[in-house]
Amino acid sequence: MSNRMWGGRFGSGPDDIMEEINASIGFDQRLFAQDIRGSLAHAEMLVAQGIISAEDGASISQGLTQILAEINAGEFTFSRALEDIHMNIEARLAELIGPTAGRLHTARSRNDQVATDFRLYVRDTLDHLAAQISTLMGVLVTKAEAHADTIMPGFTHLQPAQPVSFGHHILAYVEMLSRDHSRLMDARKRMNESPLGAAALAGTGFDIDRHATAQALGFDAPTGNSMDSVSARDFALEALSAAAICATHLSRLAEEIVVYTTPNFGFFTLPDAFSTGSSIMPQKRNPDAAELIRAKSGRIIGSLTGLFIVMKGLPLAYSKDMQEDKEGVFNALDSLSLCLAAMAGMMDTLGVDKTAMHQAASKGYSTATDLADWLVREAGLPFRDAHHATGALVAMAEDKACLLDELSLDDMQSVNASITQGIFDVLSVENSVKSRTSYGGTAPDNVRTMVAKWQAWLKATEAAQ
């Protein structure tokens, strides 16, 4: 049996192995909505340009609309023998309206068709992911507002460094996510050009209107070079890059959830909905959702690397290698969407133990920097001298097995005679946090100011969507 798609060039169809390696319908069937949108726009343009008749255009549109309804209703049968989503839809269209279906492919190729479908799909998905990021940001901003005055230890090298507001800590992730949102929207803007009408690689001799199809599909303009149109996948690489960075941010937050829910810290408690038990240890509450978010970052980063490798050696224009562009993108963007939803759910229901956080913030001499700053500000010491004196006082407190603010004034003055009773005003974790009023600092009033800023940003972003 000859393969209709290849016409008379081949006398027999591919064998089972060729069909197995060549078929993409198992994964690209999810492009059905985008494929039908592109075909409807193309058919409308062909009619407007007088390339096909209005009657044929109406039949094609009616048939495509019926196919869309069939797929949405689960009544469409996808065939591996027809290879991909484009040929599956075209074959069904021929069953519905007869030979007129063949006119739809006038002035286009599967090359520009798939490039258009893929751009539409990635663009639609970026809109969805951006909305999910905004939702997660809203959850975190609400959490930060509730904990502007909650004190926790701030860490460097996972060692106690300085006390901070928990609200300030959470807003750090809001900043990261805002950049993720911006990257997705930047990628969307750059990809928003239509390849439709570029045909196989050289354009077409038909008098088509690529600006009309671009406008009909919500693109800003048609792409400017037919060879680039069908061979470019940097839009997918950029989307995956933004997704990988976002997944890395989520993985860092997931790691903190894993660490801070351990009894060693006891800062967080996860609800049952985002925890699992052990098959043998009844006391266990495992943060499996956080651990899976942490792991899925590897899957997403791997998809980015995989597509880079597919594309790095391809000459212009289209090569069949590019069929391998979609599964990784689909999987990565699906994974990121799931991770964003899970993280929003976890953070919304996360229990916070303020007492455990405060106690931990009081340990490790986390206000030592405040002591050094006081020596500079009040006693006039050069910072390096103040740093040395503070180190000596920390060593003394360690020897006495006490906190810095439990040292006596005599103890303090034995290290530096210029120290006065006023030193004790800066040694509490509360005063330390309140004193960090520089822009971007951890003071509770700063946190509340930033919360208001992000609430306004989220409101404006929601209105613009």
Side-chain angles (χ1 to χ4, degrees), residues 207-451:
D207 183 25
I208 63 172
D209 186 349
R210 293 189 62 208
H211 289 84
T213 51
Q215 183 177 16
L217 294 171
F219 289 110
D220 295 328
T223 50
N225 181 283
S226 60
M227 296 183 75
D228 176 62
S229 300
V230 299
S231 63
R233 293 297 184 269
D234 54 345
F235 67 91
L237 286 167
E238 188 170 10
L240 285 178
S241 179
I245 296 170
C246 182
T248 301
H249 291 154
L250 296 180
S251 182
R252 295 183 71 181
L253 180 52
E255 170 69 5
E256 293 196 334
I257 291 173
V258 171
V259 170
Y260 295 153
T261 53
T262 63
N264 310 69
F265 284 88
F267 295 172
F268 300 158
T269 303
L270 278 176
D272 292 345
F274 291 98
S275 305
T276 64
S278 165
S279 63
I280 191 172
M281 295 168 285
Q283 83 281 7
K284 294 291 292 299
R285 180 189 289 270
N286 299 324
D288 282 13
E291 291 172 350
L292 288 168
I293 289 173
R294 187 174 59 184
K296 284 183 184 296
S297 63
R299 179 190 294 260
I300 296 167
I301 294 166
S303 296
L304 171 62
T305 304
L307 185 53
F308 268 125
I309 294 169
V310 167
M311 297 302 300
K312 70 173 182 62
L314 297 187
L316 294 177
Y318 182 83
S319 297
K320 191 67 169 180
D321 308 54
M322 292 161 71
Q323 182 171 293
E324 293 295 314
D325 59 0
K326 296 171 195 64
E327 281 187 281
V329 172
F330 294 160
N331 190 283
L333 299 185
D334 286 350
S335 295
L336 181 59
S337 179
L338 180 59
C339 289
L340 286 165
M343 186 60 78
M346 275 194 294
M347 292 305 299
D348 185 47
T349 55
L350 188 74
V352 178
D353 190 328
K354 297 181 181 181
T355 301
M357 282 186 169
H358 191 281
Q359 289 175 347
S362 300
K363 298 176 181 177
Y365 308 105
S366 63
T367 58
T369 303
D370 299 274
L371 193 157
D373 288 347
W374 187 93
L375 289 171
V376 171
R377 188 172 57 251
E378 303 296 334
L381 271 65
F383 183 80
R384 286 302 172 197
D385 292 344
H387 185 282
H388 180 79
T390 300
L393 288 169
V394 169
M396 180 184 294
E398 287 178 334
D399 288 341
K400 293 178 175 288
C402 68
L403 301 177
L404 282 173
D405 59 358
E406 293 174 338
L407 291 172
S408 68
L409 182 59
D410 288 340
D411 288 334
M412 297 271 193
Q413 290 176 337
S414 70
V415 172
N416 188 291
S418 61
I419 295 176
T420 68
Q421 189 68 33
I423 193 72
F424 293 99
D425 293 337
V426 302
L427 293 182
S428 71
V429 291
E430 288 81 6
N431 287 340
S432 173
V433 172
K434 287 179 182 178
S435 72
R436 306 293 171 182
T437 56
S438 59
Y439 185 81
T442 190
D445 285 346
N446 284 17
V447 173
R448 282 183 273 269
T449 297
M450 295 306 292
V451 163

